[in-house]
Amino acid sequence: MRFEGTQDYVATDDLKVAVNAAVTLRRPLLVKGEPGTGKTVLAQQIARAAGAPLIEWHVKSTTKAHQGLYEYDAVARLRDGQLGDPRVHDIANYIRRGKLWKAFTSPALPVLLIDEIDKADIEFPNDLLQELDRMSFDVYETGETVAARERPIVVITSNNEKELPDAFLRRCFFHYISFPDRETMQAIVDVHFPGIDKRLVARALEMFFQVRETPGLKKKPSTSELIDWLKLLMHEEMPLSVLAEKDVRKSIPPLHGALLKNEADVQLFERLAFLSRRG
């Protein structure tokens, strides 16, 4: 397959190269970037472009690597044994298949998303090294070996909350999704809002990038937050005059709750607007 983006996802040239290189090598594609830059959506769009099933494994702080392979429910087997359930005689009835097992045995070549791998314990990536290399693992309770029919397309996302081990990085093809420039952002907006007033977009983008470039900002607004903000501006039928003040240091943006996500940043803009009025 060749990934060229989709009608709902604007992929830059370097992102297309990264996806196609990872697919060719059948190496996991490790994608990093600011939250809200479309890392998770990328896996969904790759699956859509390839007509492949998508298997999603959303990692949490408590997630362990073995859960991606399988889990043996000994408690359920003990309970069924006490109740005289004949299922207890077959231990396979108590093996829960994990996301890697499902990807390895999928009838069609799947896209496997391991989302936000940096949320888990530092040993989590290392514990998956052998399985991602061999594309197989052993089920010790039943004595069987689960092997991939064909190496799945693996997309791994990270928000850089933790450094990943070098041995793990060596097995991946890496790509960092840079924050979109204004031209790319315009294309993204056009995909989400075809036919939107170009003057509204031009003014909104100018204010949006000014917000991002404000010194001292704790959390810069992301692409997804811009989309939410534009959706609100359109829903409220916000007149262009409201966006007439192009300098965000003089006037806090309307519906700023879609862009600013903590009180320190809101207070920063309130202080800037206050100082501007005093001046």
Side-chain angles (χ1 to χ4, degrees):
M1 60 158 281
R2 295 287 301 176
F3 180 71
E4 299 294 340
T6 68
Q7 63 180 8
D8 297 325
Y9 189 87
V10 177
T12 57
D13 290 339
D14 57 342
L15 179 56
K16 295 175 188 175
V17 169
V19 171
N20 291 319
V23 171
T24 299
L25 295 173
R26 286 301 164 88
R27 293 278 189 181
L29 174 62
L30 174 60
V31 185
K32 292 186 179 182
E34 289 184 29
T37 50
K39 301 185 295 296
T40 301
V41 177
L42 173 63
Q44 298 167 355
Q45 296 301 322
I46 292 173
R48 179 177 176 182
L54 175 65
I55 299 173
E56 300 181 73
W57 185 11
H58 298 286
V59 177
K60 302 178 181 178
S61 59
T62 56
T63 303
K64 302 298 181 184
H66 69 83
Q67 293 173 322
L69 307 179
Y70 69 93
E71 291 183 274
Y72 168 50
D73 194 345
V75 174
R77 191 182 187 199
L78 175 61
R79 182 188 64 243
D80 289 348
Q82 293 171 338
L83 296 174
D85 193 322
R87 288 174 9 107
V88 298
H89 300 298
D90 185 357
I91 196 171
N93 291 324
Y94 303 93
I95 300 293
R96 297 178 181 175
R97 299 187 177 191
K99 301 295 185 179
L100 265 71
W101 188 326
K102 293 176 181 177
F104 287 178
T105 58
S106 174
L109 176 67
V111 174
L112 171 64
L113 169 64
I114 305 176
D115 196 30
E116 297 187 334
I117 193 172
D118 53 322
K119 278 188 176 181
D121 184 89
I122 189 62
E123 293 303 321
F124 181 90
N126 281 333
D127 291 343
L128 288 178
L129 287 180
Q130 183 172 347
E131 287 73 19
L132 290 176
D133 255 357
R134 293 173 47 200
M135 285 292 162
S136 67
F137 62 88
D138 297 320
V139 183
Y140 299 106
E141 287 79 3
T142 62
E144 65 180 308
T145 297
V146 178
R149 302 179 182 183
E150 186 177 359
R151 295 183 74 91
I153 300 169
V154 181
V155 179
I156 303 172
T157 71
S158 169
N159 288 325
N160 249 355
E161 292 183 9
K162 294 189 186 83
E163 288 294 327
L164 298 175
D166 289 344
F168 179 80
L169 295 175
R170 183 169 57 82
R171 290 163 169 81
C172 299
F173 191 94
F174 172 75
H175 181 73
Y176 184 87
I177 298 183
S178 301
F179 194 82
D181 57 23
R182 292 177 187 246
E183 183 179 347
T184 305
M185 192 65 82
Q186 177 72 61
I188 293 171
V189 170
D190 290 341
V191 164
H192 285 84
F193 305 107
I196 189 174
D197 188 329
K198 299 298 183 184
R199 295 173 299 168
L200 173 66
V201 173
R203 292 185 182 180
L205 283 179
E206 188 166 350
M207 294 186 76
F208 172 78
F209 279 101
Q210 281 186 358
V211 170
R212 279 188 56 87
E213 294 159 7
T214 302
L217 200 65
K218 289 186 67 175
K219 183 196 176 302
K220 296 181 178 181
S222 66
T223 306
S224 61
E225 287 158 343
L226 170 64
I227 299 303
D228 287 344
W229 187 47
L230 284 171
K231 189 181 297 183
L232 283 173
L233 292 175
M234 294 172 62
H235 182 267
E236 297 295 331
E237 298 181 350
M238 197 68 64
L240 285 174
S241 59
V242 176
L243 301 179
E245 179 55 75
K246 296 182 178 180
D247 191 345
V248 296
R249 293 171 297 179
K250 298 180 181 179
S251 176
I252 191 166
L255 301 169
H256 60 270
L259 299 177
L260 306 176
K261 297 302 176 72
N262 63 66
E263 63 277 11
D265 288 342
V266 174
Q267 291 169 2
L268 171 64
F269 280 93
E270 287 175 342
R271 285 196 301 271
L272 290 172
F274 174 73
L275 292 174
S276 176
R277 288 194 297 270
R278 286 188 63 186

